[in-house]
Amino acid sequence: MRWLLSILILSISRLVYGLSSSGSRLLVVIEEAAEQEKYSQFWSDLRGRGFSISFESPKNEKLALLKHDELAFDHVILLPPKSKGLGPALTPKLILDFVNKNGNILLALSGESSTPTAISSLLLELDIQLPPDRTSLVVDHFNYDTISAREKHDVLLVPQPSSTRTDLRHFFSGDGTIAFPRAVAQELGNLSPLLAPILQADSTAYSYNPKEEADTVDDPFATGTQIALVSAMQARNSARFTVLGSAEALENVWFDASVQGIQGSKSKTTNREFARQLTEWTFMETGVLKVGKIEHHLSSVEQEKSGNISVTELGYLNPKIYRVKNDVTFTVELSEYTHTHWSPPTIPASDALQLEFSMLSPFHRLALLPIQVTPNSTFYSTTFTLPDQHGIFAFKVNYKRPFMTSVDVKQEVTVRHFAHDEWPRSWMISGGWVWIAGIWVTIVGWVAFVAIWLWSEPAYDAARGKKIQ
């Protein structure tokens, strides 16, 4: 009986391992069931991380991403179809509705088949533009695989991306080379803060239509680092939409292939590792922040003899009203999901988690510093003095970074002015001493005058019946 219990516990732990923070139901839309075998290693890796995979054809009339206005699947992989569209169940509107319900999508393109108009329209909604001819692919005459693309130069060899900003977390870095066969170029809009390129082409790459048999390309769609081979859109609700320019990069043949550049050195591709990193981020296994406790309260700030500042909590937590010039402490708890569990996040040294105390505009903008670390979270806090302004204020924490889910905290409080019995007494204000002295001089003078006047009253002569001067 014990061994049955052990097997059950082991099975449950196996299922729990690697589950996404937003669910494990994964839909793969692939037109021909026979092509599933091409990606068998990819499916095996996803199942090993705890995903429950369902395969459906876009032609299936019963296919639905939403049922009763709720998600039927947590994540979707859209592989390029052979036909001209994705069917009535996968229109751009339905796909965007799925994203608005916090669903995550990995869309794979391919230069071997023309891109359906529905996909181009969908990506335009996200400010991602594809080549207008819909059959273009990316070539690079200086960074290609000489073994498989000796003549066409359409199998790009791209190093794994690295972070160019020290204030950002990067989830796709590595030291290997990624093979991108017959990739479709993407050009990202400059105005959307929700878009970010994950992998860009080298400066010598360009996009062209192979059906145009010309020796030169006069007006290419995009060139160099303008070309995004893999791009990401994280919506305002933190749902993720990733566009992979080459579906062939996920095939078994490229997961551990030997490639050779024009320099002549051979190497193994890291497509398998990059596919794992890409799906981990898209399906919310990494880069997920969660807000826990939010606390604010009155504080007493004292300077100790050692020079340190001592902060003591006063009153109760999260009051609705404060007074101007109160000392207040604000604390927020953050957790980060990393592959299998929630862990304490770490803000890069060159970045800052900030608190704004604002009415119409911020009166304070302060850095939140870590004060406590638990196995699952980190507490960030700061203490400050409220401004000398009464009104309706808000504690705001607005932390938005590429590839990280957004942290948007807002709590409103009322700040009142001093009550009539809270002002300092007049004798405690040195500027009022002159006026206090004047009052007392007037009082003493008047009493003295009255006393003198009464004392100096003329004597009364009773015989004459009159006062003696």
Side-chain angles (χ1 to χ4, degrees):
M1 189 67 181
R2 289 183 178 178
W3 65 272
L4 286 175
L5 181 61
S6 300
I7 293 176
L8 179 61
I9 294 174
L10 183 62
S11 302
I12 293 174
S13 63
R14 176 75 175 179
L15 289 174
V16 172
Y17 177 79
L19 287 182
S20 165
S21 62
S22 60
S24 60
R25 299 171 299 173
L26 173 61
L27 170 66
V28 178
V29 179
I30 183 169
E31 188 165 352
E32 298 180 6
E35 292 190 353
Q36 295 181 19
E37 190 61 29
K38 292 183 179 179
Y39 309 95
S40 59
Q41 294 184 29
F42 183 50
W43 311 139
S44 176
D45 292 345
L46 290 173
R47 289 192 179 99
R49 302 210 311 264
F51 287 97
S52 175
I53 304 178
S54 301
F55 295 93
E56 294 289 348
S57 170
K59 300 177 181 179
N60 186 356
E61 296 180 355
K62 296 182 179 180
L63 176 62
L65 301 180
L66 300 174
K67 291 184 179 179
H68 307 296
D69 204 32
E70 295 294 335
L71 293 179
F73 302 94
D74 302 306
H75 320 283
V76 174
I77 296 178
L78 298 175
L79 293 176
K82 302 294 183 182
S83 57
K84 294 183 179 181
L86 291 174
L90 297 171
T91 62
K93 181 183 182 303
L94 294 175
I95 292 176
L96 291 179
D97 288 343
F98 178 79
V99 174
N100 290 333
K101 289 287 186 178
N102 295 317
N104 306 301
I105 294 179
L106 173 61
L107 172 63
L109 306 175
S110 175
E112 287 190 339
S113 58
S114 61
T115 304
T117 305
I119 291 181
S120 299
S121 301
L122 169 65
L123 295 182
L124 281 177
E125 294 280 348
L126 308 179
D127 205 13
I128 301 175
Q129 188 174 357
L130 299 181
D133 49 27
R134 298 191 298 164
T135 56
S136 292
L137 50 82
V138 182
V139 297
D140 190 338
H141 302 302
F142 297 89
N143 299 281
Y144 66 94
D145 180 26
T146 58
I147 299 176
S148 60
R150 180 177 295 274
E151 296 182 359
K152 296 184 177 180
H153 304 175
D154 56 359
V155 179
L156 309 185
L157 300 182
V158 185
Q160 281 191 256
S162 58
S163 178
T164 57
R165 292 174 52 180
T166 58
D167 59 336
L168 294 183
R169 297 277 302 278
H170 200 66
F171 302 98
F172 316 99
S173 58
D175 299 327
T177 301
I178 306 171
F180 263 80
R182 293 164 287 283
V184 177
Q186 308 155 43
E187 190 172 22
L188 307 185
N190 297 323
L191 301 179
S192 176
L194 307 177
L195 292 175
I198 294 177
L199 185 65
Q200 295 173 298
D202 286 319
S203 57
T204 52
Y206 63 94
S207 175
Y208 91 111
N209 188 353
K211 294 183 178 180
E212 298 177 359
E213 297 181 357
D215 295 334
T216 60
V217 178
D218 296 330
D219 188 17
F221 167 72
T223 61
T225 55
Q226 292 178 341
I227 299 174
L229 300 176
V230 184
S231 57
M233 189 280 297
Q234 185 166 252
R236 300 188 188 279
N237 62 353
S238 295
R240 293 169 174 178
F241 192 108
T242 303
V243 183
L244 175 65
S246 173
E248 291 82 357
L250 303 177
E251 295 180 358
N252 300 340
V253 65
W254 295 108
F255 262 26
D256 193 26
S258 294
V259 293
Q260 181 177 350
I262 60 175
Q263 294 81 8
S265 58
K266 288 188 177 181
S267 61
K268 291 286 187 179
T269 61
T270 56
N271 285 39
R272 189 169 195 166
E273 178 186 357
F274 181 70
R276 176 184 59 80
Q277 294 172 337
L278 191 65
T279 52
E280 282 178 349
W281 182 84
T282 304
F283 301 151
M284 305 194 80
E285 296 176 73
T286 57
V288 179
L289 294 177
K290 180 181 71 172
V291 178
K293 295 180 180 178
I294 302 173
E295 298 176 352
H296 54 86
H297 55 80
L298 283 172
S299 299
S300 174
V301 181
E302 297 179 357
Q303 186 80 24
E304 297 180 347
K305 293 181 179 179
S306 61
N308 296 327
I309 295 177
S310 174
V311 179
T312 306
E313 178 182 343
L314 301 176
Y316 54 91
L317 291 176
N318 302 339
K320 296 296 183 182
I321 187 168
Y322 290 101
R323 194 206 68 204
V324 297
K325 296 187 176 180
N326 274 152
D327 291 325
V328 175
T329 297
F330 179 87
T331 305
V332 61
E333 179 189 15
L334 293 183
S335 302
E336 181 181 358
Y337 194 82
T338 52
H339 302 101
T340 60
H341 61 281
W342 293 101
S343 61
T346 301
I347 304 298
S350 55
D351 195 8
L353 179 67
Q354 294 182 325
L355 167 70
E356 288 185 357
F357 190 71
S358 61
M359 192 157 51
L360 295 177
S361 59
F363 279 69
H364 287 291
R365 184 178 287 119
L366 306 167
L368 289 166
L369 302 177
I371 60 169
Q372 182 184 357
V373 178
T374 69
N376 304 111
S377 62
T378 302
F379 288 83
Y380 294 88
S381 181
T382 188
T383 300
F384 64 99
T385 302
L386 297 183
D388 190 6
Q389 172 71 45
H390 64 276
I392 306 299
F393 285 80
F395 295 100
K396 292 182 180 180
V397 179
N398 190 358
Y399 186 77
K400 296 179 180 178
R401 300 293 184 271
F403 309 120
M404 301 290 292
T405 56
S406 302
V407 174
D408 194 0
V409 174
K410 181 180 179 180
Q411 286 200 353
E412 292 186 349
V413 294
T414 300
V415 178
R416 63 174 176 84
H417 51 67
F418 282 95
H420 71 281
D421 58 349
E422 290 180 323
W423 294 96
R425 300 295 88 189
S426 56
W427 57 81
M428 299 176 61
I429 304 175
S430 60
W433 292 351
V434 176
W435 310 103
I436 295 174
I439 292 172
W440 283 107
V441 167
T442 303
I443 294 173
V444 172
W446 171 251
V447 172
F449 168 77
V450 171
I452 293 173
W453 185 81
L454 293 175
W455 177 78
S456 62
E457 180 183 5
Y460 181 77
D461 189 351
R464 296 182 179 181
K466 61 179 181 180
K467 293 180 180 181
I468 300 175
Q469 297 297 331

